[in-house]
Amino acid sequence: MDKFLVTGGQKLSGEVTISGSKNAALPILAATILAEGKNVIKSVPDLRDVTTMMQILRELGVKVTRQSNGDIETEVQDESKSTAPYELVKTMRASICVLGPLLAKRKTARVSLPGGCVIGVRPIDLHRKGLTALGAELAEEHGYIVGKAAKLTGREIFLGGAFGSSVTGTTNILMAATLAEGQTIIENAACEPEVQDLANFLAKMGAKINGIGTHRLIIDGVKSLKGTTHTVIPDRIEAGTFIMASAITGSQITIKNCRLEHLSGVIDKTKEVGVSIVKTGEHTCQIYRTQDLKPVDISTLPYPGFPTDMQAQLMAVLSLANGISVVTEKIYPDRFMHVAELNRLGAHIRKEGPYAIISGVKKLSGAPVMASDLRASAALVLAGLAAEGTTEIQRVYHIDRGYEQIEKKLKKLGADIKRVKDV
Ligand code: EPZ
């Protein structure tokens, strides 16, 4: 198992290039199950979760190869397979994204139920509700969701649960609806950029989708979809994490391959904290801070609000702000695993239900800490960049799930960070 050693206090400078979006690439790869012929997917980050999805596709009879230029090529070779096994699904919840495409294209699916998750309860009732409405018969057997869909028929579906819509739920229903007979309307669809990217990919494959980017997706089913070429959007959460790296270290950096229009909720709050973000090119921006960090109150919300996937990283920054901040987690009320670890570094954060109250401190001090999930790990790296002394972050396999070579990118910016084998 690897760990990171981060010695804080270095100013960052220079440029960082953002990779393709993990959460866009995963459903796009799953969608290739729907296609006749070859797909070429560009800008797919080289991450553990992507490797897991590639393995799942291979289990499902899809030939998947990573070319020397980084492109991923896929082509369905054997449609008789329909099982996504527990051994793979347990490591990545996004595996559930193969359910919709399997039902639509192969009329049958057997996908392991994902199981526990450190960021809180993550049900799949909305996925089931939508797919059932289209005509799939779903049952749970021996830890698997087993589905049959002799015929899928377009319907009007309201995708609402206790916490609003669902990102991967929307993608599953959208993918299934592309091959259903007639028209499907998904009301209250999630409209995250990753959902939009999937919809654009499906449209290139020949799907008929209206309302992309809105909460109302209208899909007119077609008989078949064909392989295509697509470039995945830049990862807005990776870009946001580098914005926070600039904020916490008070450094000026340039971020390339970044779609600022996907980051409006993050930019709004980061400016309040005292950080300047200046667009310098079509997909390039400059980040700098010339004043003390100011406290802010935020709530995580569906897009375009402040994303839950940036909550931990902002909290690391706020732990050094000049005053008290309140963070309300509205998507995953238990997503606060990083609080205890940030406190080990000297932060003053109190968790009260879905709220965290952060009393800014003057300095953090390096210590051994444990990464618990992807974004919590990123928050610990950020805190380490600003802490006095060395922060040892164990279990960095969590961060490898979603950040492509984060230590190399930070090192290039001047950070003192090393990956070492934990013996
Ligand atoms: C996606 O997860 C992302 N994963 C998550 O990214 C992200 O945190 C989340 O959306 C919210 O933005 C991928 O895209 C692969 P949801 P997803 O279904 O789709 C409730 C990361 O760090 N809900 O939109 O699983 C649920 O409990 C990760 O990269 C139901 O009630 O999230 C939550 O409160 C982690 N019933 C809310 O909806 C359902 O059937 C939003 O969850 C489904 C969800």
Side-chain angles (χ1 to χ4, degrees):
M1 248 190 267
D2 292 356
K3 63 183 177 187
F4 282 160
L5 297 179
V6 187
T7 302
Q10 309 297 319
K11 283 272 182 212
L12 307 181
S13 64
E15 293 178 356
V16 61
T17 302
I18 300 306
S19 301
S21 159
K22 165 181 86 80
N23 289 345
L26 294 173
I28 284 173
L29 286 171
T32 65
I33 290 172
L34 295 164
E36 316 283 345
K38 190 156 81 172
N39 286 286
V40 180
I41 322 289
K42 295 174 176 290
S43 199
V44 179
D46 190 6
L47 299 171
R48 209 160 64 95
D49 276 8
V50 167
T51 310
T52 305
M53 183 57 89
M54 289 167 75
Q55 280 173 292
I56 291 174
L57 291 177
R58 287 187 191 113
E59 287 286 329
L60 292 169
V62 183
K63 184 175 178 217
V64 194
T65 45
R66 171 82 79 168
Q67 304 301 307
S68 52
N69 64 1
D71 293 357
I72 290 188
E73 290 188 9
T74 73
E75 188 158 15
V76 175
Q77 292 196 320
D78 179 0
E79 289 206 304
S80 68
K81 300 184 172 173
S82 59
T83 298
Y86 176 65
E87 290 65 38
L88 293 171
V89 174
K90 72 176 180 195
T91 66
M92 184 183 74
R93 297 187 63 88
S95 315
I96 195 73
C97 291
V98 298
L99 182 61
L102 284 175
L103 288 170
K105 189 68 173 54
R106 304 186 187 179
K107 313 286 175 213
T108 174
R110 192 168 164 270
V111 179
S112 173
L113 288 161
C117 179
V118 288
I119 70 175
V121 183
R122 296 179 70 184
I124 55 161
D125 56 301
L126 294 175
H127 302 238
R128 297 184 61 134
K129 177 181 170 185
L131 295 169
T132 307
L134 294 179
E137 285 172 30
L138 300 174
E140 284 179 24
E141 289 171 13
H142 310 295
Y144 279 76
I145 182 153
V146 180
K148 293 216 178 324
K151 184 179 167 200
L152 293 180
T153 311
R155 288 273 181 276
E156 189 162 334
I157 298 160
F158 182 82
L159 207 61
F163 294 95
S165 191
S166 162
V167 174
T168 50
T170 301
T171 63
N172 247 332
I173 297 154
L174 169 62
M175 289 187 277
T178 58
L179 292 181
E181 195 179 290
Q183 189 173 77
T184 299
I185 299 178
I186 311 177
E187 292 283 7
N188 200 33
C191 68
E192 269 66 6
E194 296 76 20
V195 179
Q196 298 178 34
D197 204 29
L198 169 72
N200 287 325
F201 172 63
L202 292 166
K204 283 188 197 168
M205 286 164 82
K208 295 212 159 54
I209 306 170
N210 277 302
I212 297 176
T214 73
H215 292 295
R216 188 168 201 256
L217 288 172
I218 304 163
I219 306 116
D220 288 294
V222 295
K223 289 257 179 293
S224 66
L225 296 171
K226 58 179 189 323
T228 187
T229 297
H230 185 75
T231 303
V232 173
I233 54 169
D235 196 309
R236 65 191 167 111
I237 305 301
E238 189 196 5
T241 303
F242 278 97
I243 291 175
M244 296 304 158
S246 158
I248 203 164
T249 57
S251 306
Q252 177 168 329
I253 62 170
T254 297
I255 301 186
K256 294 169 87 174
N257 194 34
C258 161
R259 300 269 293 265
L260 283 183
E261 69 272 25
H262 293 166
L263 278 157
S264 43
V266 173
I267 290 170
D268 186 53
K269 281 296 161 190
T270 318
K271 283 187 172 163
E272 258 188 67
V273 170
V275 175
S276 299
I277 301 172
V278 181
K279 190 169 172 151
T280 51
E282 199 190 349
H283 296 314
T284 307
C285 62
Q286 218 168 59
I287 323 291
Y288 58 94
R289 170 167 73 82
T290 49
Q291 46 184 307
D292 284 351
L293 289 167
K294 293 194 220 105
V296 294
D297 292 346
I298 65 137
S299 291
T300 61
L301 289 167
Y303 186 78
F306 191 91
T308 173
D309 292 346
M310 282 301 304
Q311 181 256 104
Q313 301 91 313
L314 178 65
M315 198 182 292
V317 174
L318 294 178
S319 70
L320 285 167
N322 195 2
I324 295 174
S325 306
V326 179
V327 168
T328 307
E329 178 51 69
K330 291 204 168 168
I331 310 291
Y332 297 114
D334 295 322
R335 193 177 198 177
F336 285 117
M337 298 291 284
H338 41 285
V339 167
E341 300 301 301
L342 288 172
N343 283 343
R344 280 185 55 71
L345 298 174
H348 283 185
I349 307 171
R350 193 159 52 87
K351 179 186 167 313
E352 293 276 349
Y355 308 103
I357 299 119
I358 303 129
S359 308
V361 293
K362 290 263 176 284
K363 66 180 176 82
L364 297 174
S365 112
V369 286
M370 193 82 86
S372 55
D373 78 83
L374 172 54
R375 309 303 172 189
S377 323
L380 297 178
V381 170
L382 293 173
L385 294 175
E388 264 181 23
T390 300
T391 299
E392 180 183 312
I393 304 164
Q394 292 163 24
R395 299 194 182 170
V396 299
Y397 58 84
H398 288 294
I399 212 162
D400 294 336
R401 288 188 46 201
Y403 289 90
E404 194 176 44
Q405 304 197 325
I406 191 167
E407 80 277 20
K408 291 196 179 142
K409 290 185 180 183
L410 283 169
K411 217 177 176 136
K412 197 168 153 246
L413 290 173
D416 185 344
I417 177 168
K418 279 197 266 304
R419 179 186 288 264
V420 292
K421 291 264 171 254
D422 202 359
V423 280

